[in-house]
Amino acid sequence: MDIKQRLTELRSLMEREHLSAFIFPSTDAHQSEYVAEHWKGREWISGFNGSAGTAVVTMNSAALWTDSRYFLAAEEQLRGTEFKLMKLKIEGTPTIPEWLGAELKDVRSPEVGIDGTVFSAAEADDLTLQLRHQGGITVRTNLDPLRLIWKDRPALPDGKVEIQPLELAGESADSKIRRIRQALHTDHHADGMLVSALDDIAWTLNLRGTDVHCTPVFVAYLLISSTAVTIYINKVKLTREVEAYLNDLHIHVDDYQNVTKGLKDYFEMNILMDPNETNLTLMKAAARPVIRETSPIPSMKIVKNETEIKGYHNAMRRDGVAMVKFMKWLEETTRDATTAAQAHLSEVSVDQKLTSLRAEQAFFRDLSFDTIAGYEQHGAIVHYEATPETDIALQPHGLLLLDSGAQYQDGTTDITRTIALGPITEEQRHIYTLVLKGHIALARAIFPERTSGTQLDVLARQFMWREGINYLHGTGHGVGSYLSVHEGPHQFRMEWKPQPLLPGMTITDEPGIYLPGRFGVRIENTMLIVPAFESEFGRYLKLDPLTLCPIDKRPIDCSMLTNDEITWINDYHQKVYEQLSPLLNGEERAWLRDATAPLNPSLPQSQRTHLHPE
């Protein structure tokens, strides 16, 4: 069934149900960023497979909203369908309620449908309010049309759950549950809570799974009261070892579908349900007074303990070894066009090569996301993923943007390197160096404890802003400990994100510039927030790079760099060499020695700060 047929089936159902429109978000019943196949309804109805986006269908039109990471990919994937691309945060783009208000202005008593199990309570409430202001449009929340029209819809995943051992987790599940109960009592006067977010459940219980691509979580709910804990999960997912583990923790096991009954039978005086993490259907099912507050778990999870930090360092060393082996191989394979052609070098093949090198490393479990290997013009597609249809051959010239990462059982990695495969243009050199300057400026930041990432974001953008250049994605996100590669709520981002930065948090530093149809540049390290010093004005923090991998020096315009920037690069490369060289063979060590050799800092200052070549 193609997109046209799917829309026909949907509209027939909408007509029977007297609905004027239906909205499909990208989330699942747990408000996950990445979802199991069962919940990819937005992708099924529209054909767009990005991780973020919302599809809206009326009886006569269809549109899809997504952010700048996916503009180019969405244009390609929506071509030939009814769906019109709506570019978020671009002037002139209407909101979904505004668009529906215009589309349905001539419809008598319009009603819009949403599936309340995949909309958070907060989003559903906001949508209902905004649609009411668009001429009194009402919202129906109890229909899942996909259950009726998606005939071959994948079942809920049933992968086995496994225990994350204490020697890697660093804190027992018992201890975490005690801390959660204490936070509920002290901060919210709550007797218990429903935990919906899959990574929060995995972290709390020191369990991992395989239900979501590249993210080691499992589908479940967790109900915590003052005296009991119940996990709602498909029991086929539990091995005898995990059953015994849960029994030792005195955690009751009930079927996944019984969570609604569990909320109705809940016996405490009140219950905390995070409106941004709990779907509307479950929020409505609660029989006791609901405290609509932020879950205390994310703020616990994002501050890593000493064991987790040690695991990150170990995982980053192994990941760095894989990256060095890969970069050495890539350089040797792209020395000339004949060699590259003989090796069948392409975006897909470099992805496969890097994955195979990571798979050789101890504790490797999976990728942390699908590799982004974008050569030349494909590098301008922020979340490009090469397929057999889009794959292009690599040549011994130009830039390859390579954003990749792995799930090791002791840590999650995320790294981007933009690599010169041979001669590059002066424009590419200039853009590359602007991005590098932004990366270094943020990496060198020293800031008061509890500063927000929004307050630091400008450091990475300042040099490109001077030239009228910007990027619309965030500059950095948290990274889980063998969990989601995107972990919040802390971020580096232009939009206001109030979460304070604290020691023990991980966060990426990844500015980028993208010139559609030409090339893209991004440079990313995963960083650890650590103490810097204390003064009479309080405690100050800094960013310590966890990622260990050379930054390609060949595209750098050294005349644009200051002494301090050159010193940072040289210090970072010295750390990379010291950490990785003992783990490499002689040839690999020699390659790394050259790749991390110091930049020449002897150029006059005036030449190294000139940002606008004549």
Side-chain angles (χ1 to χ4, degrees):
M1 188 187 301
D2 61 19
I3 302 301
K4 182 178 180 180
Q5 292 172 307
R6 294 170 188 177
L7 290 175
T8 299
E9 290 280 332
L10 172 64
R11 285 170 175 148
S12 294
L13 176 61
M14 289 165 53
E15 187 174 23
R16 292 196 301 271
E17 297 291 333
H18 306 290
L19 290 173
S20 306
F22 206 92
I23 302 175
F24 298 87
S26 61
T27 54
D28 60 10
H30 304 267
Q31 305 309 302
S32 307
E33 177 183 15
Y34 300 108
V35 303
E37 297 295 323
H38 175 81
W39 280 293
K40 291 186 177 180
R42 193 269 344 268
E43 178 180 338
W44 184 82
I45 198 67
S46 70
F48 169 63
N49 65 3
S51 65
T54 302
V56 185
V57 180
T58 73
M59 295 302 294
N60 302 302
S61 56
L64 182 132
W65 282 255
T66 192
D67 61 50
S68 64
R69 296 172 297 168
Y70 295 110
F71 287 168
L72 296 179
E75 283 179 353
E76 179 64 29
Q77 292 176 1
L78 297 179
R79 188 171 292 126
T81 74
E82 283 187 47
F83 282 93
K84 179 182 179 181
L85 176 60
M86 298 291 187
K87 298 180 179 181
L88 288 170
K89 300 180 185 176
I90 298 299
E91 187 175 354
T93 300
T95 65
I96 291 173
E98 288 170 345
W99 184 79
L100 283 171
E103 290 291 312
L104 304 181
K105 66 181 188 304
D106 296 326
V107 177
R108 184 178 179 182
S109 301
E111 186 173 38
V112 173
I114 65 172
D115 176 3
T117 69
V118 294
F119 262 82
S120 74
E123 288 177 317
D125 290 347
D126 183 62
L127 177 68
T128 300
L129 179 63
Q130 291 191 50
L131 286 175
R132 187 179 302 137
H133 292 323
Q134 294 292 327
I137 300 173
T138 59
V139 179
R140 177 180 171 184
T141 65
N142 64 348
L143 176 66
D144 175 10
L146 299 174
R147 183 174 57 85
L148 301 172
I149 65 175
W150 190 356
K151 303 302 183 183
D152 57 349
R153 184 177 190 177
L156 287 172
D158 58 4
K160 298 296 184 184
V161 175
E162 63 179 28
I163 298 168
Q164 177 74 339
L166 184 60
E167 57 265 28
L168 297 178
E171 182 183 7
S172 70
D174 256 341
S175 172
K176 293 176 180 179
I177 291 169
R178 284 196 299 272
R179 284 206 287 144
I180 292 167
R181 282 176 169 147
Q182 182 61 44
L184 290 172
H185 175 74
T186 304
D187 300 336
H188 303 292
H189 304 291
D191 297 325
M193 73 173 294
L194 178 71
V195 187
S196 293
L198 301 185
D199 58 337
D200 286 359
I201 296 170
W203 176 85
T204 299
L205 298 181
N206 289 339
L207 295 174
R208 299 294 189 269
T210 59
D211 285 352
V212 178
H213 181 56
C214 293
T215 307
V217 295
F218 51 92
V219 174
Y221 290 101
L222 191 67
L223 185 60
I224 301 174
S225 73
S226 61
T227 58
V229 180
T230 300
I231 184 171
Y232 295 91
I233 189 170
N234 183 348
K235 296 178 183 179
V236 72
K237 302 166 69 64
L238 304 180
T239 64
R240 289 184 178 179
E241 180 185 17
V242 172
E243 285 180 338
Y245 171 80
L246 293 172
N247 185 62
D248 289 343
L249 290 170
H250 306 290
I251 294 175
H252 177 65
V253 178
D254 201 348
D255 189 76
Y256 178 74
Q257 304 296 342
N258 286 342
V259 62
T260 302
K261 182 178 184 299
L263 288 171
K264 293 184 183 300
D265 294 341
Y266 177 79
F267 57 88
E268 301 275 18
M269 292 295 294
N270 59 41
I271 183 169
L272 185 144
M273 299 174 77
D274 188 328
N276 291 304
E277 294 186 354
T278 309
N279 69 58
L280 177 68
T281 300
L282 290 183
M283 186 72 77
K284 288 182 174 181
R288 297 290 181 175
V290 174
I291 298 174
R292 293 170 63 112
E293 294 287 351
T294 300
S295 165
I297 298 175
S299 62
M300 298 178 184
K301 181 175 85 250
I302 59 179
V303 177
K304 314 307 180 194
N305 60 47
E306 291 183 4
T307 300
E308 290 173 317
I309 292 171
K310 179 182 177 182
Y312 275 108
H313 284 296
N314 291 336
M316 294 290 178
R317 275 191 288 271
R318 294 193 300 275
D319 205 58
V321 166
M323 285 295 300
V324 166
K325 290 175 181 285
F326 170 81
M327 293 173 74
K328 175 179 179 292
W329 168 84
L330 182 65
E331 182 177 302
E332 293 169 348
T333 311
T334 54
R335 281 179 177 159
D336 57 69
T338 302
T339 305
Q342 290 174 343
H344 302 290
L345 200 61
S346 72
E347 294 167 330
V348 168
S349 70
V350 297
D351 176 4
Q352 294 169 340
K353 177 67 174 181
L354 179 54
T355 300
S356 70
L357 290 169
R358 282 191 163 115
E360 295 173 358
Q361 304 301 314
F363 288 99
F364 175 83
R365 304 306 296 273
D366 198 355
L367 299 181
S368 55
F369 57 96
D370 289 318
T371 299
I372 299 167
Y375 177 56
E376 290 288 76
Q377 69 270 22
H378 284 169
I381 305 173
V382 180
H383 270 210
Y384 172 74
E385 182 185 342
T387 66
E389 293 74 30
T390 66
D391 188 27
I392 57 176
L394 273 55
Q395 304 294 332
H397 61 80
L399 295 175
L400 172 69
L401 190 156
L402 186 67
D403 188 350
S404 65
Q407 293 286 3
Y408 300 96
Q409 197 174 2
D410 53 354
T412 300
T413 70
D414 186 2
I415 173 177
T416 306
R417 290 295 183 264
T418 303
I419 303 168
L421 302 185
I424 61 173
T425 67
E426 286 306 307
E427 180 186 42
Q428 288 175 321
R429 190 175 304 280
H430 185 74
I431 293 297
Y432 182 94
T433 311
L434 281 179
V435 173
L436 177 60
K437 286 175 71 69
H439 176 91
I440 294 171
L442 183 54
R444 295 180 63 232
I446 294 177
F447 48 93
E449 187 173 41
R450 306 193 73 80
T451 296
S452 164
T454 303
Q455 295 168 298
L456 300 178
D457 182 82
V458 66
L459 295 176
R461 300 178 190 263
Q462 57 182 313
F463 304 105
M464 57 185 75
W465 278 2
R466 294 175 190 175
E467 302 195 17
I469 300 171
N470 196 21
Y471 54 94
L472 298 182
H473 61 73
T475 304
H477 56 82
V479 179
S481 177
Y482 186 40
L483 274 174
S484 176
V485 72
H486 291 162
E487 184 174 84
H490 62 301
Q491 299 179 41
F492 293 130
R493 181 172 288 276
M494 288 175 62
E495 299 84 358
W496 175 238
K497 295 291 181 181
Q499 173 66 43
L501 301 177
L502 301 170
M505 290 180 174
T506 55
I507 192 166
T508 62
D509 174 2
E510 50 177 313
I513 295 176
Y514 314 93
L515 303 180
R518 289 137 75 190
F519 64 92
V521 174
R522 185 162 64 249
I523 299 171
E524 175 189 18
N525 280 351
T526 300
M527 319 291 281
L528 177 68
I529 301 176
V530 298
F533 55 78
E534 292 190 23
S535 76
E536 61 182 302
F537 297 99
R539 191 182 192 191
Y540 283 73
L541 307 177
K542 62 181 181 179
L543 301 173
D544 183 33
L546 286 168
T547 301
L548 297 169
C549 178
I551 295 171
D552 195 351
K553 297 178 297 180
R554 295 167 296 179
I556 298 175
D557 180 353
C558 287
S559 70
M560 293 170 60
L561 299 182
T562 65
N563 284 331
D564 286 342
E565 290 166 342
I566 289 176
T567 298
W568 183 91
I569 295 170
N570 291 341
D571 289 348
Y572 174 70
H573 277 159
Q574 182 179 352
K575 176 181 179 179
V576 170
Y577 184 79
E578 290 173 352
Q579 292 281 319
L580 298 186
S581 59
L583 307 175
L584 303 169
N585 65 32
E587 289 185 1
E588 294 160 350
R589 216 165 23 247
W591 182 91
L592 182 61
R593 187 181 300 113
D594 289 341
T596 57
L599 284 174
N600 184 359
S602 61
L603 290 172
Q605 177 76 13
S606 60
Q607 293 182 36
R608 283 186 268 111
T609 57
H610 190 56
L611 293 178
H612 305 279
E614 299 297 328

